[in-house]
Amino acid sequence: DMALWLPRSAQEALAAIGPNDSGALSGMRRLAFRLERSCKASLKTLERSGNAVQGLSFGEFSELQRELEQAVLFNEGAKPGDDETMAAGPGFQRDSVAEKELEHLISSGLYGPFPEPAAPVSLKVEGGPKAAMDGSLKLIGRELLEVNRLLDGALLSEPALTDVVRKEVIELFSTSGKRLRPALVLLVARALGAPTEKLQRVASLAASIEVLHCASLVHDDILDASELRRGVPTSHMRLGERQATLVGDFLFATASCLVAELGSMSVVLLISKVVADFGRGELAQNAVRFEAVAYSLEDYLAKSFYKTASLLAAACQAAAVLSGVAPDSKEAGACYRFGAYIGLAFQVVDDVLDFTSTEEELGKPALADLKEGNLSAPVLFAAQTELGSHGGKALGSAHRRELVMCLERRLSEDGDLERVMALVAEADGVAQSKSLARNFADLAVAELAALPEGEARRGLCIFAEFVVARTY
C-alpha cells in the first residue's frame, strides 16, 4: 500500500501546480509515473514468488506514524491526551517563529542590549588559556575517555563496505583534534547534575556530535577545494572527490545511527534539523561569493549559525534532554541559546584567525576563505557605510568603492588581496570582529544563570572565555 501510495501522492502534488509544460515539471511527472510502474512490477513479482510477504497495512502504518509524531512533539514520556506542552522552539522547528528567534539571537550580538559582564573568569594560569580549559575538563575526564573510546577509527569504520572508506575513517580519527564539541556537551550535562547512568548516554551523544562535525568537514573541504586541514592533506586530496564524498556520507550515516540508538525522539528531532542546516548554510555561502554590498553582517551570521552554531545549539539542548530536563523547559532553552551564542562566537573568532594567523598556526592556508570569496566579519565590517556598536572607523566613500571593486573582480588583479587587507586594517575590521565575538560570548554566559551553580557551570564560563581567547 505504501509503495503505491507514495508515487501516486507525488503525482497529485504535481497536478496541484496546474498547467505547466516546462521540461523540469515534465521530467518530475515521468519520474513519479515510472516509480509507480516500477513498484507495481516489483509487487507482482513478489506475489508470483509464493513467498509470504509480511508487513504493515496502510492503516497500521498511519497509526504508527501518528504515535511517532506524538512521541516527538510531546515531552519525553507524555501520553496522547495529556496536558503536556508540545516541544517547540528553534531547536525543534524551522518555521517563521524559529526564524524570528534566530534574528533575535543575531541582533542581540550585533546591536544589544548587551548583558552586564559577568565576573571575569581568569585564564591567566601557567600555560595560558589552553591550560585553564584543560583544568575545567578534569570534571568530565572519565566521560571524555569514553568518548575517545567510541571515536576509535577502527570501531567506527567496522560497518564500512569498502577498504577505501574504512582506511580513511581510521585516518580521520587517528588524532583526537580539539574535541571541543564533545567537551561542551559533557560539561552541559554535568552542570545540570546528570547522574552517572545518564552521563553514559550523553557520552554517546558527544561522540555522535563529533562524527557529524567530521562528516561536515569532509564535504566542506570538497566544496571549498581545501588542500589542508590540521596540517595534513584533506580527504579529497588523498582519495579524489568521489571517494571523499562517500566517506563523508558514511560518517553522516554513522552519526545518525549513533543518535538513533540513544532512544530519544526529541534528540533525533534536534539533530535532524542540524543536518538540514548544514546544507542550507552551504547553499547560502556559495550564492554570495565576493558579494560585499547585498551580503550583510546579518546574512553572514545567519550562514554561520546554519554551518557552525546550529550543531552546538542542538548538542547543548540534546545534552539537557538526556540529563533528564524537559525538552521545552527553561533550562533546555537556555542551553540551546548558550550553544548558539558560543557557536557564533567560535565562527567569528575562526574568521579573525584566518586574517591574523599563519598557515603553520592554522594548519591550513591563511586567508583561504577570502581568496575563495567567502567574505567574513572583518571584511563586512570594513564594507559598512555606518559604524555600529563595535568601534572601528568608517571607510571614506572612495576607499569603500575601492574595496567593493577589488571584491567584484574577485581579487583577480595584482595587489587586490593586499589592498583589501589594508582597507580592512584601516577600518579596524579585525578589532570590530573581536568585539562581536566578545558580545556573543557574554550573551552565552548570561544564559548560564538558568543552570545550577557549581564547578561545571564555571567550566562552561571558562569554555566561553577560551573561545574568544584562543589562538588556534
Side-chain angles (χ1 to χ4, degrees):
D1 286 347
M2 201 66 201
L4 293 174
W5 175 78
L6 285 169
R8 287 172 183 169
S9 295
Q11 293 177 66
E12 291 174 6
L14 294 174
I17 297 175
N20 189 321
D21 294 327
S22 70
L25 191 60
S26 297
M28 292 164 70
R29 290 193 185 107
R30 286 195 299 273
L31 176 62
F33 175 75
R34 289 172 182 172
L35 181 57
E36 181 183 3
R37 186 173 60 185
S38 173
C39 288
K40 286 180 179 178
S42 298
L43 288 170
K44 286 180 179 178
T45 301
L46 282 171
E47 289 173 354
R48 286 196 298 267
S49 69
N51 295 326
V53 180
Q54 296 181 343
L56 298 177
S57 70
F58 184 72
E60 291 170 329
F61 180 87
S62 297
E63 177 64 18
L64 176 61
Q65 184 182 39
R66 184 183 67 81
E67 291 177 0
L68 286 173
E69 287 175 350
Q70 287 171 332
V72 170
L73 293 175
F74 287 87
N75 289 337
E76 295 288 311
K79 296 178 181 178
D82 286 352
D83 291 331
E84 295 284 351
T85 304
M86 287 200 307
F92 293 97
Q93 298 166 313
R94 290 295 181 268
D95 54 15
S96 59
V97 176
E99 291 293 325
K100 289 289 185 184
E101 176 70 15
L102 176 57
E103 289 173 9
H104 173 72
L105 294 175
I106 290 171
S107 177
S108 296
L110 279 172
Y111 311 114
F114 306 118
E116 288 293 327
V121 177
S122 177
L123 299 183
K124 294 181 180 179
V125 299
E126 186 176 353
K130 185 179 185 302
M133 183 68 180
D134 289 344
S136 70
L137 298 185
K138 291 179 180 178
L139 294 166
I140 51 172
R142 182 180 300 176
E143 290 74 27
L144 280 175
L145 287 175
E146 174 63 11
V147 169
N148 286 333
R149 185 190 71 79
L150 293 170
L151 291 177
D152 177 76
L155 181 65
L156 289 173
S157 65
E158 279 183 4
L161 298 178
T162 67
D163 286 339
V164 171
V165 172
R166 189 177 299 111
K167 290 177 181 178
E168 185 62 17
V169 171
I170 292 173
E171 174 69 24
L172 289 171
F173 288 91
S174 61
T175 57
S176 61
K178 296 190 281 285
R179 299 273 163 92
L180 293 177
R181 288 160 187 81
L184 181 63
V185 169
L186 292 167
L187 279 173
V188 167
R190 180 68 78 181
L192 289 166
T196 301
E197 64 272 14
K198 291 186 183 295
L199 279 172
Q200 292 175 348
R201 294 178 73 203
V202 176
S204 295
L205 168 69
S208 72
I209 296 300
E210 188 69 7
V211 174
L212 192 58
H213 171 61
C214 185
S216 71
L217 294 183
V218 171
H219 283 179
D220 277 357
D221 288 340
I222 296 171
L223 292 169
D224 297 338
S226 301
E227 297 182 1
L228 292 174
R229 183 170 292 278
R230 297 171 186 164
V232 299
T234 51
S235 292
H236 72 94
M237 294 298 294
R238 290 194 291 263
L239 307 176
E241 290 186 4
R242 181 180 177 83
Q243 296 289 355
T245 299
L246 293 176
V247 170
D249 291 346
F250 173 80
L251 291 175
F252 272 118
T254 300
S256 299
C257 290
L258 290 172
V259 171
E261 288 168 0
L262 293 171
S264 169
M265 291 302 295
S266 292
V267 172
V268 169
L269 187 58
L270 283 165
I271 303 305
S272 70
K273 301 302 181 189
V274 173
V275 178
D277 286 345
F278 283 152
R280 184 172 181 177
E282 195 62 50
L283 288 170
Q285 176 174 284
N286 281 278
V288 289
R289 291 189 187 275
F290 292 103
E291 176 56 66
V293 178
Y295 189 51
S296 67
L297 279 162
E298 288 85 352
D299 295 329
Y300 155 75
L301 289 170
K303 180 269 299 179
S304 298
F305 172 82
Y306 292 124
K307 289 198 66 176
T308 303
S310 170
L311 176 60
L312 294 182
C316 288
Q317 189 169 8
V321 171
L322 293 181
S323 300
V325 172
D328 58 350
S329 65
K330 177 182 71 173
E331 293 85 355
C335 288
Y336 182 88
R337 291 187 294 275
F338 172 80
Y341 285 135
I342 284 292
L344 289 170
F346 194 98
Q347 185 59 56
V348 174
V349 171
D350 253 12
D351 293 334
V352 166
L353 294 177
D354 193 46
F355 272 77
T356 61
S357 300
T358 64
E359 179 173 334
E360 290 73 23
E361 291 169 326
L362 292 172
K364 59 182 180 180
L367 299 175
D369 285 337
L370 176 57
K371 292 172 183 176
E372 287 294 320
N374 299 323
L375 306 189
S376 57
V379 174
L380 295 173
F381 271 119
Q384 286 191 121
T385 55
E386 297 179 2
L387 289 178
S389 57
H390 305 278
K393 305 169 187 175
L395 292 178
S397 57
H399 280 184
R400 184 175 179 275
R401 282 198 301 272
E402 187 180 1
L403 173 64
V404 172
M405 286 178 61
C406 288
L407 295 171
E408 285 183 343
R409 59 178 176 249
R410 297 174 173 252
L411 308 178
S412 59
E413 296 186 6
D414 289 344
D416 277 354
L417 178 62
E418 292 75 14
R419 186 56 184 151
V420 168
M421 293 291 293
L423 292 170
V424 168
E426 180 182 331
D428 285 339
V430 167
Q432 292 188 75
S433 301
K434 289 180 177 179
S435 172
L436 176 62
R438 164 54 60 190
N439 288 345
F440 281 126
D442 288 344
L443 287 162
V445 170
E447 293 293 341
L448 296 178
L451 277 61
E453 292 186 14
E455 283 299 306
R457 193 175 89 171
R458 185 177 184 277
L460 290 170
C461 292
I462 291 175
F463 193 103
E465 288 296 318
F466 173 79
V467 164
V468 293
R470 66 193 177 94
T471 57
Y472 64 93

